[in-house]
Amino acid sequence: MSPRSVHITLLAVVVAAFAVAPTLLSGFTVSLLNDIGIGALVGLGLVLLTGIGGATSFGQAAFVGIAAYTTAWLTTAQGASPWLGLVAALVLTGLSALIIGLLTLRLGGHFLPLSTIAWGLSIPLIFGNVDGLGRHTGMSNIPPLHLGAWSLAEPRAIYYLIWALVGLACLFCYNVLHSRIGRAIRSLRGGSTLLASVGADAFRVRLMLFVLAALLAGVAGWLYAHMNRFVSPSPFDLRASIEYLLMVVAGGLGQLSGAIAGSALVLILKNGLQDVLPMISRSGTQTQSIVFAALFILLLQQARAGLMGFVVRKVRGRFGSMFGAAQVAAPAEPLARRALPERGRRILEVTDAVKRFGGLVAVNGVSFEVNAGEIVGLIGPNGAGKSTMFNLLTGALPLTQGRVEFLGTDVTDLPQRRIARLGMARTFQHVKLRPHMSLLDNVALGAHGRARSGMVAAGLRLDRRQEAQLLAEARHQLARIGLADRAHELAGNLPLGTQRILEIARALAADPVLLVLDEPAAGLRRPEKKALGELLRKLREEGVTILIVEHDMDFVMKLVDRLIVMNFGSKLVEGVPAAVRADERVQAAYLGGVAVAPVLQSAPAAAAAGRSEAVPAQGGGSA
Ligand code: ADP
Ligand code: MG
C-alpha cells in the first residue's frame, strides 16, 4: 500500500469509530468524551503556542472563560442566539489575545510565562466580582445549541458538534504548520535573528500564533458554556490553566495529536482518581492535586516528549517507510525573480561604520563599496571585526556610528528583515539552521520573503499554489548544492560543513542581489571546497554579487575580484588579491596580530611564481 492510501484508510477508520462511538458507549462515557474534545481544543492551541512556538502560557483557561462568559451573558441576559454568542465570543477572545499579546509577547526569557500567570489569575477574578456575571455563583440557564431543528442538548448530540470541531481544528492547525507561516512558527524557537535574516517578522508570527491559540480556547469555552448550561469562575482559574498545560505535556507537546491524547489521559485519570481517592483520604481534591503534581514532575523527568512523542518514535521506527515523506513534488511555475542591477553599478556603500561593545571598538570607522556582479573578500585575523561588520550591514546589529546604503536606500536604521527583503541574504559564522526541520523546510524558509500567504489562507489550504512554488524553489536550490536526494532528512543530521552549504542554499532561495557569506568553506573537505568555489563563480556569472569572509587564503585568492583586509576593527588594505598578498602590512598583521600565528610562506615570492598556497591560512570555524 502506498503511504497515501495508508493515511486515507487510517483516517477513514478513525472517523468511522468516532461516528459510531456514541451509539455503543454509555452516557457517562460520551460525556467524558465531550469533555476530552473540549480539552483537546484548548490543548491544540497550547501545542502550537508552547510546544512548537516555544511560548509557555499559564493563562489559557482565562481565554476559555472569556468566551464562555461572553456567550453566557449574551444568551441569558440579552436573549441572543448561541450562534451570535459564538461570533461575539471569538471576537472578544481574539481581541483580548491581541491586546495581551501586544503587551507581553516581546518579553523575553521567563518574563512571558510570568506575565501569563498574571492574566491567568486576574481574568477569572473579574468573572467572580462583576454583578452582571453572577459573581461567584456564576450564570445558569444557558440555552442549549440547536442545529436547525436538531437540539444538541443531549451529550450524545453535542458530541458530534464537539468532535467535528476538533477534527476541523486539527486539520486547520495541520495545514498551518505545513505552510510558509508554519515554517516560521517552527523556527520561532532558537532566536529571531534567523527569521529576520529571511525577511520574516518573528513578533508578528508569534502574535498570530497567540491569537490562534486563544481562538481555539474560545471555541472550547463556547462549547463548554452551552454543553454544561452553567458557568462559574473556577473552571477558568490558574489551576485550570495549569491543568491544560499538564494535558499537553502528558500527551506530547511536539505534535497535534498530543492535544487529544493528553486531554484523554488527564481526564480519564482524573475520573479514576475521583473514584479511588475518597476511599484513601477524606480530602479528595487536595490528594488529587498532589497526585497531579507528582505526575507532572515524573513526566518532565522521564518522558519530555509525552505519550504521542513516544508513539510517534515507535511507529516511525517500525513502519517508517509507510509513513515516510514520499510526497511527489507538485509541478509549479517558478517564483517571480528580482531584476538584478546592471553589472558594475554600486549596490552597497558602507561609510565610516563604527561598532562599540562597551569599551571594545569592534569596528572602527570602516568604509568600503561593493559593485554589482563582483565577489569581494573580507579577510583579517580572528577578532578583526569581520563578522561584526557583516552584522552591521545586514542590520543584525545596530551601528554605533556611520551609514550603510544598499541599492540606493539608506538602510542604516532599517530592521534586519526589511534589509533582507530588499535583496540581501546571508549565512552565519555560527550556523543558524533549524536542526529539527528537514533540509527542504530549512531552505524553503529562505524564500519566506518572496511569498505573501498568511495563516488563514494556509489553514484553509488556499495557499497551495504558492506553497508548491516555494517548495519547488527550495528543491531547485537543494539540487544546486547536490543535496536534492536528502531533502526530507533533518538538517541537524548533516555534518557541520554541509550545514554551512545548506545555509547558502537557504540564502539563495531568497533570490538575493547581494549574498553575504561568513566563512562558508570552514569545515569543508577539499572536493567540497572546490564545488563551493564553482557554485560561487557560477552565481557571479548569473549576476549575483557576493561578499565573503573566509580564512582559507588559497580558496579566497582564487575566487575574489577584490579583497578588503581588516585588522583590530579597522580597514588595513584594499585591492586585488595579488597586491594584497604582496602588502607588507597584511603580512605583519597576520604574523603579529594573532596568538597562534599561521605559518607564512614567502608570500610575494609565491605570488610572483603564480602559486597561491602562500599567505596565511587559519583554521576557520571558531571565534
Ligand atoms: P572576526 O569575525 O573578524 O573574527 P568579530 O567581528 O567576531 O571578529 O569580533 C570582533 C571583536 O568584537 C572581538 O574582539 C569580539 O570578541 C568582539 N565582539 C563580537 N561580538 C560581540 C558582542 N556581541 N559583544 C561583545 N563583544 C563582541
Ligand atoms: Mg567571524
Side-chain angles (χ1 to χ4, degrees):
M1 262 213 291
S2 74
R4 195 177 161 73
S5 47
V6 172
H7 281 158
I8 291 175
T9 315
L10 269 180
L11 195 67
V13 170
V14 170
V15 170
F18 269 102
V20 298
T23 58
L24 304 175
L25 299 171
S26 71
F28 172 79
T29 316
V30 172
S31 291
L32 182 62
L33 280 174
N34 289 346
D35 289 336
I36 291 172
I38 289 177
L41 281 171
V42 185
L44 273 177
L46 275 176
V47 165
L48 289 177
L49 182 68
T50 304
I52 295 166
T56 308
S57 166
F58 288 103
Q60 225 53 16
F63 291 126
V64 183
I66 291 175
Y69 267 90
T70 306
T71 194
W73 182 79
L74 274 177
T75 52
T76 55
Q78 305 301 314
S81 141
W83 298 101
L84 187 69
L86 173 63
V87 174
L90 290 182
V91 168
L92 212 62
T93 321
L95 272 180
S96 318
L98 197 65
I99 293 166
I100 294 175
L102 281 170
L103 291 175
T104 62
L105 284 178
R106 280 192 206 275
L107 299 175
H110 299 302
F111 293 107
L112 174 66
L114 283 177
S115 78
T116 66
I117 293 180
W119 93 68
L121 272 173
S122 53
I123 292 175
L125 273 181
I126 301 176
F127 302 148
N129 287 289
V130 174
D131 284 331
L133 299 179
R135 290 181 162 267
H136 286 284
T137 36
M139 297 161 93
S140 47
N141 294 325
I142 301 171
L145 297 172
H146 284 88
L147 268 175
W150 184 30
S151 161
L152 304 184
E154 287 301 309
R156 276 180 219 279
I158 198 171
Y159 165 95
Y160 287 103
L161 178 65
I162 291 174
W163 284 96
L165 287 174
V166 172
L168 289 176
C170 282
L171 202 62
F172 187 92
C173 295
Y174 178 89
N175 291 338
V176 166
L177 281 180
H178 294 81
S179 73
R180 166 177 174 269
I181 291 294
R183 276 186 293 275
I185 291 172
R186 287 182 279 148
S187 305
L188 279 173
R189 278 202 289 191
S192 53
T193 309
L194 167 60
L195 281 175
S197 82
V198 299
D201 186 343
F203 177 74
R204 219 183 105 99
V205 172
R206 196 171 282 125
L207 187 63
M208 282 200 284
L209 194 59
F210 190 68
V211 172
L212 174 62
L215 289 177
L216 287 167
V219 175
W222 174 76
L223 285 169
Y224 176 94
H226 293 286
M227 181 178 81
N228 293 312
R229 324 245 322 251
F230 165 75
V231 293
S232 67
S234 70
F236 313 121
D237 61 11
L238 190 62
R239 187 196 46 78
S241 283
I242 292 174
E243 206 170 287
Y244 285 125
L245 209 52
L246 172 63
M247 276 181 184
V248 288
V249 171
L253 273 169
Q255 46 275 312
L256 297 174
S257 54
I260 300 174
S263 181
L265 211 62
V266 167
L267 290 178
I268 290 170
L269 189 70
K270 223 167 125 175
N271 260 290
L273 286 176
Q274 267 161 12
D275 293 343
V276 176
L277 286 179
M279 295 184 222
I280 306 167
S281 137
R282 260 186 291 168
S283 49
T285 37
Q286 272 108 326
T287 324
Q288 184 184 310
S289 301
I290 292 169
V291 171
F292 269 75
L295 178 74
F296 210 173
I297 292 168
L298 198 72
L299 275 170
L300 293 178
Q301 289 267 352
Q302 300 296 327
R304 287 254 171 119
L307 177 64
M308 289 319 287
F310 177 79
V311 170
V312 164
R313 215 170 44 240
K314 285 282 168 218
V315 169
R316 280 229 178 97
R318 192 165 288 192
F319 307 101
S321 57
M322 246 186 248
F323 293 90
Q327 305 136 296
V328 188
E333 59 185 279
L335 285 168
R337 295 204 53 182
R338 247 183 264 278
L340 290 175
E342 65 188 270
R343 203 169 283 275
R345 199 190 121 192
R346 178 175 308 158
I347 57 166
L348 182 75
E349 191 170 355
V350 179
T351 317
D352 265 329
V354 176
K355 182 64 192 180
R356 286 196 198 94
F357 294 111
L360 179 91
V361 188
V363 171
N364 191 4
V366 175
S367 304
F368 66 92
E369 290 156 9
V370 176
N371 302 319
E374 62 176 350
I375 303 186
V376 176
L378 186 59
I379 64 169
N382 276 332
K386 306 178 297 294
S387 295
T388 306
M389 188 66 240
F390 274 11
N391 286 334
L392 294 180
L393 60 92
T394 53
L397 282 176
L399 287 115
T400 310
Q401 221 172 285
R403 182 185 149 92
V404 180
E405 195 172 292
F406 179 54
L407 293 172
T409 309
D410 181 359
V411 298
T412 315
D413 297 316
L414 282 191
Q416 193 185 356
R417 66 168 195 284
R418 297 270 306 278
I419 301 178
R421 283 188 175 226
L422 286 176
M424 199 190 292
R426 71 170 300 185
T427 67
F428 297 87
Q429 180 178 351
H430 302 285
V431 174
K432 287 192 198 297
L433 287 167
R434 290 302 180 246
H436 54 275
M437 279 163 54
S438 68
L439 271 59
L440 189 68
D441 277 341
N442 268 286
V443 177
L445 188 63
H448 186 93
R450 296 173 72 184
R452 291 283 163 274
S453 56
M455 192 178 266
V456 177
L460 302 176
R461 290 183 77 88
L462 301 174
D463 65 336
R464 291 300 118 168
R465 203 178 69 95
Q466 200 173 67
E467 180 63 11
Q469 285 183 303
L470 287 172
L471 292 179
E473 172 71 24
R475 272 190 204 93
H476 169 63
Q477 300 302 348
L478 272 177
R480 233 173 173 177
I481 57 165
L483 289 176
D485 50 340
R486 302 178 69 178
H488 295 287
E489 286 181 35
L490 298 186
N493 294 345
L494 292 178
L496 193 60
T498 318
Q499 292 191 4
R500 290 182 178 282
I501 302 298
L502 188 64
E503 280 211 318
I504 298 180
R506 183 183 66 211
L508 287 177
D511 185 28
V513 174
L514 176 66
L515 191 58
V516 179
L517 307 174
D518 200 346
E519 301 196 16
L524 292 191
R525 287 167 301 176
R526 197 170 269 278
E528 292 168 333
K529 275 190 189 174
K530 193 157 164 271
L532 173 63
E534 276 159 22
L535 172 66
L536 297 183
R537 279 187 201 95
K538 186 154 175 299
L539 288 170
R540 171 172 53 189
E541 267 167 45
E542 291 172 16
V544 178
T545 314
I546 300 171
L547 186 57
I548 179 172
V549 165
E550 187 45 61
H551 277 306
D552 182 335
M553 285 305 135
D554 186 31
F555 181 83
V556 162
M557 292 288 172
K558 283 182 186 162
L559 179 72
V560 302
D561 301 302
R562 207 147 54 80
L563 273 173
I564 296 162
V565 187
M566 280 183 76
N567 195 24
F568 294 119
S570 302
K571 186 166 95 175
L572 196 63
V573 183
E574 182 175 345
V576 295
V580 166
R581 188 200 294 274
D583 196 292
E584 282 171 8
R585 287 168 296 176
V586 177
Q587 293 176 45
Y590 271 97
L591 272 178
V594 206
V596 191
V599 183
L600 191 69
Q601 299 176 10
S602 166
R611 289 201 334 239
S612 48
E613 289 87 353
V615 190
Q618 300 189 358
S622 58

